[in-house]
Amino acid sequence: MSSASSASTTTPNNHFTYVFIPANDSLPIKALTGDKSGGLSDDILSKEAKRYFYENSDKGARAAALDGATPEQRKMLANQLREEVKGSQSPYAAQMAGLDDDALIN
């Protein structure tokens, strides 16, 4: 299984080119350009990799579903989370039981 990776080369004007190899084999390999001005403290390659994996994981879908959830659905999710933790004998069960719904699911 492939994963996102890169090989970089320097290009003029404070930019670099890298090869994007998507984790999804049906997507094409691309040469992309990034801005070096952020340096290591504001690394565009790292940001793009994090964005890619977030958007292609279930976390993005879960966040979108949560944003569109009704108050009743949010209440059901909070109760489901509390029940799952309670059944697992987690040391965090008591803390989670004391949180309000929004604090628990956000």
Side-chain angles (χ1 to χ4, degrees), residues 1 4 10-11 17-18 29 36 38 41-42 48 62 73 84 88 93 103 105:
M1 179 175 209
T10 304
T11 60
T17 301
Y18 62 97
I29 295 173
K36 295 191 299 184
S41 63
D42 192 21
E48 286 298 309
R62 286 188 300 183
Q73 291 169 323
E84 287 176 6
S88 70
I105 62 177

Side-chain angles (χ1 to χ4, degrees), residues 2 6 26-27 45 50 78 82 85 92-94 104:
S2 63
S6 68
S26 67
L27 297 175
L45 189 57
K50 288 176 184 176
R82 287 185 186 100
V85 172
Y92 301 109
L104 182 60

Side-chain angles (χ1 to χ4, degrees), residues 9-39:
T9 59
T10 304
T11 60
N13 301 325
N14 209 26
H15 287 79
F16 66 98
T17 301
Y18 62 97
V19 176
F20 176 73
I21 305 172
N24 183 337
D25 292 336
S26 67
L27 297 175
I29 295 173
K30 299 187 241 180
L32 301 173
T33 301
D35 186 350
K36 295 191 299 184
S37 65

Side-chain angles (χ1 to χ4, degrees), residues 40-58:
L40 293 177
S41 63
D42 192 21
D43 179 11
I44 190 68
L45 189 57
S46 176
K47 285 181 178 181
E48 286 298 309
K50 288 176 184 176
R51 181 196 56 78
Y52 172 81
F53 284 108
Y54 178 80
E55 289 176 357
N56 289 284
S57 73
D58 66 340

